[in-house]
Amino acid sequence: MTRRALALLAVVLLLGTAACAQRTSTTPPGVLNVGQISNSIAFFPLFVAEQKGYFTQEGVKMGERPRLGTGAKVAAALKSGGIDLGAGVLTDALNLSRIDDKGRLVANLVDRYYVDVVVGASFTGAAPGDPLDQRIRALRGRKIGITGPGSGTEALVTYLFARVGMNSATDCELVNLGSTAASALGALKAGRVDALAFFQPIAQQAAAAGIGTRYISPAAGDVPGLDRTAHGVVFTTQRIIDKKPQEVAAFQRALERAQRHIHEADPAEITTMLTAYLKGIDPKALTELPALLKAEIPERIGFTRTSFDTAIAFHRTTGLVKRLPSYEKIVPPALRIDTP
């Protein structure tokens, strides 16, 4: 069985096990538990909403907010009733929708593909400024660290390799490192991997530590067609929305306030909040993040059809998700934005 088949089987088993358990919320009225993959840039708006008191002001209490490590675990926790909302990437929401036609999107967190490829300091091959296809081919035969199978980090490697006629299952070695940035950076520094495909701000942290360089960045415009695409999302099921409509609506209002605040606040305030959110991060890694957040986090929590369709085309190319849902199926009417 291929590595991808094993990854898909693991996702199905995780979700299938959860499907046999509680399918709706186990939290009391007025409370939402929100699970997320990690403390990556995508989930910073949730932290801002907490710190600014927006959730309380809008009338919802935040319960547990566990960091679950992978999108498959977030989706499984959602299906089992352990959490009410999941914060992950669109891949996770699409996988949930594949086995549960009640899967729904709740908010758009990051509207660009916020995974970067970072190479180690001793990496030899095409330079960061060389044409994209040369850089991709330079990754042939390398060990590339990802968060895990079936993730958005693996998806990017798969997509890039397919672009130049290579196969990530055979033309490189994908190394599962989990979602902790410190572990990924440690693997890069020690030479256990030659490169990382990892969520931001991994490139900034690698540069600050002097152990790596940003090599390919879809969010920076390196990959044609991926400069604007739905990626970081909050998702749930229609059952939760039906059971807790007021709580979900309050969550959405609070989150949209947080995303607007990120755009309107002084960069110094955002830097202070990032320091608290990304505990232990090197201050040098924070320099470009306030501007990066404004470029990648939308001011509205809705989804344009163009951004959604770009994401669907990406997933069709990678083959990581089968039976892709339509815009009308997974995006609730209130979140459909007609203009790009």
Side-chain angles (χ1 to χ4, degrees), residues 288-311:
E288 65 181 73
L289 293 189
L292 189 69
L293 290 170
K294 290 183 180 181
E296 297 180 357
I297 294 175
E299 294 186 67
R300 301 171 64 184
I301 62 169
F303 297 81
T304 67
R305 183 180 291 272
T306 299
S307 177
F308 180 84
D309 286 348
T310 299

Side-chain angles (χ1 to χ4, degrees), residues 8 16 38 46 55 57 65 72 102 106 109 126 204 218 234 244 325:
L8 291 174
S38 65
L46 280 77
F55 291 124
Q57 293 168 23
R65 188 147 66 86
K102 299 294 185 180
V106 172
L109 295 173
Q204 291 77 16
V234 179
K244 294 198 165 189

Side-chain angles (χ1 to χ4, degrees), residues 247-266:
E247 291 90 337
V248 172
F251 172 88
Q252 290 173 314
R253 291 193 301 270
L255 193 61
E256 190 159 82
R257 288 178 64 184
Q259 292 181 198
R260 286 200 306 269
H261 184 76
I262 290 170
H263 281 263
E264 297 168 358
D266 186 277

Side-chain angles (χ1 to χ4, degrees), residues 122-261:
S122 61
F123 184 87
T124 58
D130 285 339
L132 174 62
D133 289 359
Q134 290 184 26
R135 282 176 277 163
I136 297 171
R137 292 190 180 95
L139 296 171
R140 184 193 294 270
R142 310 284 187 163
K143 293 182 178 180
I144 304 175
I146 61 172
T147 58
S151 64
T153 57
E154 180 187 21
L156 178 62
V157 179
T158 300
Y159 183 84
L160 292 173
F161 274 43
R163 173 186 167 88
V164 297
M166 297 194 309
N167 186 338
S168 62
T170 57
D171 290 325
C172 70
E173 181 181 345
L174 296 176
V175 181
N176 302 328
L177 298 175
S179 62
T180 304
S183 297
L185 291 167
L188 187 66
K189 182 178 182 179
R192 294 195 299 275
V193 296
D194 304 299
L196 298 171
F198 231 75
F199 296 113
Q200 296 170 350
I202 198 71
Q204 291 77 16
Q205 290 172 283
I211 60 174
T213 303
R214 186 171 67 184
Y215 198 58
I216 301 173
S217 178
D222 288 350
V223 184
L226 281 189
D227 53 334
R228 185 64 68 182
T229 180
H231 193 200
V233 301
V234 179
F235 61 104
T236 189
T237 67
Q238 188 62 48
R239 288 177 288 275
I240 296 294
I241 295 174
D242 291 342
K243 184 172 183 178
K244 294 198 165 189
Q246 294 180 345
E247 291 90 337
V248 172
F251 172 88
Q252 290 173 314
R253 291 193 301 270
L255 193 61
E256 190 159 82
R257 288 178 64 184
Q259 292 181 198
R260 286 200 306 269
H261 184 76

